[in-house]
Amino acid sequence: HAWLADPKKDFVLGRNLFIDLVEKRPSDYWANLLLGGCCTWSGRAIEGEPFVRTAIGLDPSIPNGYAVLAQNLQMQGRRSDVIATVQT
């Protein structure tokens, strides 16, 4: 999709794209992670957290999920949870 190739990401557009994809493919790691990331980076961290956690649950061996989760928790002001996440 062109959204992935664009260096200037419109996170609201990305959120809408990945909501549709997660509805069609709920067990897709990258769809969940990118939906959670788009929510996080567009100021909707609380909405995005469950999708990031779903992605991590689908494949805990991919480190990207933990990085996005740390960003998400930081945006929610949950510093102690960030520290616990990066120490995992």
Side-chain angles (χ1 to χ4, degrees):
H1 192 276
W3 185 89
L4 292 170
D6 190 345
K8 291 185 176 184
K9 300 289 187 241
D10 177 341
F11 295 120
V12 174
L13 174 62
R15 177 184 168 275
N16 294 335
L17 291 170
F18 292 113
I19 283 173
D20 289 341
L21 187 54
V22 167
E23 286 177 0
K24 293 175 187 167
R25 299 176 61 186
S27 62
D28 185 305
Y29 173 90
W30 292 104
N32 277 283
L33 184 63
L34 290 170
L35 174 54
C38 286
C39 291
T40 298
W41 304 317
S42 64
R44 301 172 84 154
I46 292 171
E47 178 186 340
E49 182 181 354
F51 296 105
V52 177
R53 290 190 182 278
T54 295
I56 292 169
L58 289 168
D59 194 337
S61 70
I62 302 175
N64 303 61
Y66 300 100
V68 176
L69 180 59
Q71 293 171 1
N72 179 286
L73 296 170
Q74 179 65 33
M75 291 184 143
Q76 293 184 56
R78 294 168 52 190
R79 190 175 196 296
S80 62
D81 292 333
V82 172
I83 293 167
T85 298
V86 298
Q87 291 177 341
T88 302

